[in-house]
Amino acid sequence: MQGSAKCAECLAGSRRDRPSATAQGYGAEHRDRFRTGVLERDPTCVCTDEGHKHGSPCGARSEHADHYPLSKRELRRRGLDEHHPNYGRGLCASCHARATGKHQPAGWAATPREPDVPPF
C-alpha cells in the first residue's frame, strides 16, 4: 500500500470506524462559540510546557482551540458547557499534537507494552 509503512493486512486491521466530527460534538456550536472564542482570545499559542523546548509561552500562531484544563469528556461528565471559551486555550499545531498525544494516546502509543520495548 503506497503512503504507509504497514502491509495491507496490518493497515486494514489498524483502521477503525469513527463517528464524524459533528457526531463527536465538533459541529457548528463548537466552531462558532468555542473555537472562535478561544482563538480570538488566544491568537498566539499559550503553551508553557517546558518539555516542548520553546519559550514560555510558545508564542507561535494559534491554530487549535484545545479543551483545557478539563477534557471535553470531563466537561460533559460534570454537566459543564463544553462550548464555552473559558474551558479552552489556543495552541499551535505542534503543541496541540504533543498535548493530545500525551493526554489522549491512540494507535501504538495506546497499546500497553513493556518499558523500552519498541512497538514493532
Side-chain angles (χ1 to χ4, degrees):
M1 168 147 280
Q2 189 173 359
S4 175
K6 296 179 181 180
C7 70
E9 183 180 350
C10 290
L11 186 62
S14 69
R15 302 229 186 259
R16 63 184 172 98
D17 290 332
R18 292 175 41 159
S20 69
T22 300
Q24 294 180 57
Y26 295 100
E29 188 173 12
H30 169 81
R31 182 183 62 247
D32 297 342
R33 283 187 58 219
F34 182 73
R35 187 172 195 283
T36 299
V38 170
L39 296 182
E40 283 178 356
R41 185 194 63 223
D42 300 334
T44 59
C45 181
V46 299
C47 178
T48 58
D49 188 326
E50 294 177 7
H52 294 183
K53 297 183 172 57
H54 54 55
S56 186
C58 170
R61 184 175 65 86
S62 289
E63 298 178 42
H64 297 271
D66 182 50
H67 286 91
Y68 180 85
L70 301 175
S71 70
K72 185 177 183 78
R73 284 187 193 115
E74 185 61 22
L75 291 167
R76 276 187 188 166
R77 192 180 71 72
R78 293 183 182 193
L80 299 171
D81 181 1
E82 67 197 74
H83 300 297
H84 196 290
N86 285 353
Y87 296 117
R89 63 181 175 170
L91 296 179
C92 68
S94 176
C95 289
H96 183 260
R98 288 176 185 217
T100 301
K102 180 178 180 181
H103 300 290
Q104 299 174 19
W108 69 267
T111 306
R113 58 186 180 277
E114 296 297 317
D116 299 318
V117 175
F120 41 78

